[in-house]
Amino acid sequence: MELDPNASELNILFTFLGRIQQDQSLRDQLNEVITAPDVVAIAAAGGFCFQTSTLLDLFERCNEAPLARQGLMDEKLIRVYLQRERLQAP
């Protein structure tokens, strides 16, 4: 049986993703990376703690590949963020 990430972890993750469109510095940082663990490290440095597996699960549920080409991670994360209501539904 798969365990769903708890609601507070999803809230933290979506709060982090919500900052991407408004924070050019964050976008620039994210576009330097191509993997989910790198995204989690950037988030943790900003005080947003969530598991890599939670982000990978969201990528899978959104039919997004687990890796991004250089310079495209922000777009991938924004696409996930835009589906947050569906992803947070029980």
Side-chain angles (χ1 to χ4, degrees):
M1 182 171 90
E2 259 184 77
L3 294 176
D4 286 336
N6 65 39
S8 65
E9 186 172 1
L10 279 178
N11 287 337
I12 292 167
L13 194 156
F14 284 117
T15 299
F16 172 73
L17 296 182
R19 294 185 56 226
I20 295 170
Q21 292 179 337
Q22 289 79 36
D23 187 336
Q24 187 60 47
S25 168
L26 178 58
R27 281 184 89 144
D28 292 344
Q29 278 186 289
L30 290 168
N31 282 328
E32 295 296 316
V33 302
I34 60 171
T35 68
D38 293 331
V39 172
V40 172
I42 289 169
F48 297 90
C49 296
F50 50 86
Q51 300 294 314
T52 301
S53 59
T54 303
L55 180 56
L56 288 171
D57 178 60
L58 291 180
F59 282 162
E60 184 177 318
R61 291 172 59 198
C62 293
N63 295 317
E64 293 284 347
L67 300 175
R69 290 196 318 257
Q70 189 74 32
L72 296 178
M73 183 60 83
D74 68 325
E75 292 177 22
K76 176 186 293 287
L77 294 169
I78 289 168
R79 285 192 300 269
V80 170
Y81 177 73
L82 293 174
Q83 296 183 57
R84 68 191 175 282
E85 287 181 17
R86 178 181 67 82
L87 296 168
Q88 289 180 305

